[in-house]
């Protein structure tokens, strides 16, 4: 039976995905192996659990054995010290690809981030070919992950979807998220699309719902046939009544671009 590995399974998106996984048509009959470095609760009993620090290549090789593809969500999901990002995101993502190569795994979905391009001005339209302009050490680590994915595709034919996730939360809660929001339903339909498509190749996809004010265009990955359905504009009135008319962020990365460098905060 087909087996998929989910890293970062104890985190926000991993928890959401574990709950929905077996209800998604594309994953019926597929085994899910779930992993994180921290203990996490309430894995359904039909999920195989294996704790693993992504920074340890030998452990990651053992973790991926027998899996057909990997949904790689594990890592630090915000700005942090270079040393911690080096271990969890940079070494961790390299280890996932190197282990995939050594164990013959042919497809990886990498949770990249909009912060790879966070220093582009707001309202600038971007697509998969737009220049990387990371807004943080965190954003740099996601750019590194995308390059690792590109390398392992060109050299070893390991297919990848690098999903530049916008803001994936139950609902948008501020003005920026009217552009960047990715609903849980659209995120899971995107995962189904990139796991089930016959020819994935190497794809960079902006993980964003069908928001009226989106800055991101997935015109270069139309072959994936992913059609997001939700629109953050539905929440606009609620956001305005909660926090008033907010000013537009100067840069797409919002707070990540505004904050000082991690070793030299403003
Ligand atoms: P999260 O922080 O809730 O979950 C990440 C998980 O990775 C945590 O459970 C953590 O324990 C685990 N992890 C960290 N370092 C690890 C290591 N060395 N070994 C094993 N596991 C490790 O983040 P969330 O929101 O669930 O996001 C999942 C992924 O999607 C992250 O990679 C994040 O960078 C990315 N992403 C999320 C966005 C969002 O809006 N939620 C936006 C853009 C990217
Ligand atoms: C991310 O990359 C973070 O993981 C998430 O917590 C949010 O900050 C998101 O970007 C965002 O840009 O809203």
């Amino acid at each position: 039976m087909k087996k998929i590995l989910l890293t970062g399974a104890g985190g926000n998106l991993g928890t959401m995905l574990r709950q929905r996984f077996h209800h998604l048509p594309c994953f019926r009959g597929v085994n899910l192996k779930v992993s994180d470095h921290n203990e996490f609760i309430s894995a359904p009993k039909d999920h195989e659990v294996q704790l693993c620090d992504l920074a340890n290549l030998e452990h990651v090789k053992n973790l991926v054995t027998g899996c057909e593809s990997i949904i790689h969500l594990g890592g630090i999901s915000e700005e942090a010290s270079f040393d911690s990002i080096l271990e969890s995101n940079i070494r961790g993502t390299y280890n996932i690809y190197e282990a995939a190569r050594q164990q013959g795994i042919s497809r990886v979905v990498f949770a990249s981030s909009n912060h790879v391009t966070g220093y582009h001005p707001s309202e600038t339209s971007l697509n998969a070919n737009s220049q990387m302009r990371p807004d943080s050490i965190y954003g740099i680590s996601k750019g590194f992950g995308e390059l690792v994915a590109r390398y392992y595709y060109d050299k070893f034919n390991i297919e990848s979807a690098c999903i530049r996730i916008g803001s994936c939360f139950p609902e948008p809660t501020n003005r920026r998220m009217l552009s960047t929001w990715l609903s849980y339903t659209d995120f899971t339909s995107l995962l189904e699309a990139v796991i089930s498509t016959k020819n994935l190749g190497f794809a960079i996809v902006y993980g964003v719902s069908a928001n009226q004010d989106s800055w991101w265009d997935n015109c270069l990955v139309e072959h994936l046939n992913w059609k997001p359905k939700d629109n953050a504009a539905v929440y606009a009135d609620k956001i305005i009544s909660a926090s008033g008319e907010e000013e537009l962020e100067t840069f797409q990365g919002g707070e990540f671009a505004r904050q000082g460098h991690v070793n030299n905060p403003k």
Side-chain angles (χ1 to χ4, degrees):
M1 206 193 240
K2 226 171 142 176
K3 194 193 282 184
I4 292 181
L5 169 66
L6 174 69
T7 70
N12 292 321
L13 298 186
T15 301
M16 178 277 292
L17 200 55
R18 280 188 287 131
Q19 286 157 356
R20 294 182 179 214
F21 190 80
H22 288 301
H23 303 291
L24 301 170
C26 144
F27 297 126
R28 263 189 213 125
V30 172
N31 279 328
L32 186 66
K33 181 174 189 179
V34 297
S35 181
D36 205 287
H37 63 159
N38 291 328
E39 291 279 353
F40 55 95
I41 42 165
S42 80
K45 62 178 182 324
D46 48 348
H47 294 168
E48 179 187 344
V49 181
Q50 187 172 331
L51 297 185
C52 175
D53 182 355
L54 294 165
N56 184 316
L57 178 59
E58 287 311 309
H59 292 183
V60 177
K61 271 162 59 181
N62 181 274
L63 177 70
V64 306
T65 304
C67 297
E68 189 164 283
S69 27
I70 302 172
I71 299 175
H72 176 41
L73 306 184
I76 293 172
S77 59
E78 59 192 3
E79 186 60 316
S81 72
F82 178 73
D83 286 345
S84 55
I85 285 190
L86 177 63
E87 293 308 312
S88 287
N89 293 19
I90 296 180
R91 197 183 300 284
T93 300
Y94 168 77
N95 285 347
I96 284 287
Y97 278 89
E98 180 56 14
R101 180 188 74 79
Q102 292 190 27
Q103 308 294 16
I105 292 159
S106 56
R107 189 169 289 193
V108 179
V109 179
F110 169 51
S112 183
S113 170
N114 72 88
H115 295 287
V116 168
T117 51
Y119 257 129
H120 284 275
S122 291
E123 292 185 312
T124 308
S125 177
L126 304 182
N127 64 37
N129 282 344
S130 299
Q131 203 180 9
M132 287 188 185
R133 295 182 68 177
D135 56 22
S136 47
I137 300 296
Y138 166 70
I140 293 171
S141 75
K142 295 295 187 180
F144 172 84
E146 291 188 6
L147 288 173
V148 171
R150 177 81 242 184
Y151 170 78
Y152 276 84
Y153 178 60
D154 287 337
K155 212 171 237 340
F156 306 110
N157 213 26
I158 296 176
E159 296 186 296
S160 275
C162 298
I163 305 181
R164 289 181 179 167
I165 303 172
S167 305
C168 193
F169 297 100
E171 58 181 70
T173 52
N174 57 39
R175 178 168 178 187
R176 174 174 171 270
M177 285 197 211
L178 292 176
S179 301
T180 62
W181 185 54
L182 172 65
S183 72
Y184 284 172
T185 302
D186 287 334
F187 182 48
T188 52
S189 71
L190 176 54
L191 291 176
E192 288 189 282
V194 297
I195 290 285
S196 64
T197 188
K198 275 214 164 63
N199 297 309
L200 177 62
F202 173 80
I204 292 177
V205 189
Y206 275 95
V208 65
S209 282
N211 304 329
Q212 192 177 295
D213 293 340
S214 173
W215 304 317
W216 305 321
D217 185 346
N218 280 320
C219 55
L220 299 176
V221 286
E222 276 172 359
H223 61 283
L224 297 176
N225 212 18
W226 174 55
K227 305 250 180 298
K229 294 196 166 34
D230 291 313
N231 181 351
V234 167
Y235 297 89
D237 289 344
K238 188 174 170 186
I239 292 170
I240 290 168
S241 43
S243 28
E245 294 275 1
E246 292 171 62
E247 275 190 35
L248 187 65
E249 294 277 1
T250 308
F251 298 107
Q252 296 194 359
E255 190 190 345
F256 285 64
R258 263 188 285 117
Q259 70 197 355
H261 177 55
V262 66
N263 293 339
N264 183 26
K266 278 180 200 151

